[in-house]
Amino acid sequence: MRQFSGPVEAAAYIQSHYSDRRERLAVAARERAVLEEACRCVQQFFRRFQFRRNFQRLIAFGLVGDSWPAVRTIQRCYRNARGRKRWFAMIEVLDKRYLNDAALRGEAEKGHEWYTRAMNIRRERMYREPRVQAALETAWQAASSATRRASKTVGEEEMMTWAQYTDMSRKLYIAIMRRDDPREAFVLMKNDWERDTRDWPDPLTPLSQRCIDRAAFFRSWFELADVNTEDMEGDTYRVFPSARHF
């Protein structure tokens, strides 16, 4: 057994021992991390190798024809799964687009017939109709000229500014609500502008410094027609934009 001449030598030995032990533990931890990374690399390579080999087999079997019904079943299941994935993605986009506030989402949860998934799909189809697109273009041109403000241009695309949107919303409020309440008109306009510019690249940009392009205006005006018409017919939506005067 080792003998120490005093407490100073003993303390130095203890410190050296723990320093060596800590270093060994650190080395062991690094070696373990390297070993785990090497194992993950081998596993990934093996999985990719297995996937490529199995996929090549499926391709080869699929070329044979009717002698491999199991392959056709796998392919059919894969196509169905891919179709369901696309379907749910489309439904999610439409719900976000047409159920964009708490009141509409509440109506949809209650099962209101106007806010079902089928009706949202019908809205999207109606929005894409050439007649409705032409009417929306008429509304865009009328709104741009009636505001009598210099529009902002980004690149080659014309944008609608906060000032233009304010003028347009004020006239629309009087035409639709058939009353003149500046306070209520401003609150509604601000909420609509915030919703219409929700896809602005920088969410920290003040509302008054944002703009909307032609596509965003089309969506906004179509939504305006959607909540101010009595039915969901293409002719009704088409007439609405050109029936209002700024």
Side-chain angles (χ1 to χ4, degrees):
M1 180 181 295
R2 180 173 178 175
Q3 298 294 327
F4 300 99
S5 59
V8 176
E9 183 181 359
Y13 176 80
I14 294 173
Q15 184 177 5
S16 175
H17 173 75
Y18 276 100
S19 298
D20 294 341
R21 184 171 180 273
R22 187 166 56 249
E23 184 177 354
R24 290 195 300 271
L25 291 176
V27 171
R30 288 195 296 269
E31 291 179 349
R32 184 168 58 253
V34 172
L35 181 61
E36 290 176 354
E37 181 63 25
C39 291
R40 283 195 296 269
C41 182
V42 173
Q43 291 172 347
Q44 290 176 358
F45 174 80
F46 180 76
R47 293 193 192 101
R48 292 171 183 171
F49 173 77
Q50 288 291 101
F51 174 79
R52 287 195 298 267
R53 187 173 65 177
N54 293 336
F55 187 71
Q56 290 173 356
R57 287 178 177 177
L58 286 177
I59 294 177
F61 293 161
L63 295 176
V64 174
D66 297 335
S67 58
W68 295 95
V71 175
R72 293 199 306 274
T73 301
I74 294 173
Q75 293 173 339
R76 185 173 63 254
C77 292
Y78 174 75
R79 286 192 294 267
N80 291 340
R82 185 174 56 183
R84 286 193 299 269
K85 185 177 180 180
R86 291 179 178 177
W87 165 261
F88 287 120
M90 181 189 69
I91 291 299
E92 184 178 357
V93 170
L94 293 182
D95 287 346
K96 182 179 178 181
R97 179 173 296 164
Y98 294 113
L99 305 178
N100 49 25
D101 60 41
L104 296 180
R105 288 191 293 271
E107 293 295 332
E109 292 175 357
K110 294 177 183 178
H112 195 288
E113 60 179 356
W114 278 66
Y115 300 104
T116 62
R117 290 179 173 177
M119 294 301 281
N120 287 339
I121 294 175
R122 183 177 178 182
R123 284 185 176 91
E124 186 65 18
R125 290 178 176 174
M126 193 182 308
Y127 171 80
R128 297 175 183 272
E129 288 185 5
R131 296 177 301 169
V132 175
Q133 288 291 308
L136 293 174
E137 177 64 28
T138 302
W140 167 261
Q141 297 298 335
S144 300
S145 60
T147 53
R148 296 181 180 177
R149 301 288 185 98
S151 59
K152 183 176 180 180
T153 302
V154 178
E156 297 181 354
E157 186 173 9
E158 187 178 5
M159 310 287 284
M160 176 172 286
T161 63
W162 163 269
Q164 288 179 293
Y165 193 90
T166 303
D167 290 349
M168 178 193 70
S169 298
R170 172 75 172 176
K171 296 173 182 178
L172 284 173
Y173 176 84
I174 296 174
I176 295 176
M177 304 301 292
R178 300 186 182 280
R179 63 174 182 268
D180 188 8
D181 187 342
R183 184 183 298 274
E184 182 184 24
F186 179 79
V187 171
L188 294 175
M189 181 272 298
K190 184 179 179 181
N191 293 336
D192 291 341
W193 178 256
E194 185 175 3
R195 184 167 57 248
D196 293 340
T197 60
R198 62 183 177 272
D199 294 329
W200 188 257
D202 184 5
L204 299 180
T205 303
L207 292 177
S208 60
Q209 297 180 12
R210 301 180 184 182
C211 300
I212 59 173
D213 56 9
R214 185 188 303 263
F217 177 86
F218 278 21
R219 288 291 181 184
S220 175
W221 197 269
F222 184 80
E223 179 183 348
L224 181 66
D226 187 40
V227 298
N228 287 281
T229 49
E230 299 295 334
D231 55 54
M232 289 189 63
E233 299 298 333
D235 290 337
T236 305
Y237 280 63
R238 179 180 60 82
V239 171
F240 176 82
S242 56
R244 301 297 181 183
H245 300 283
F246 295 99

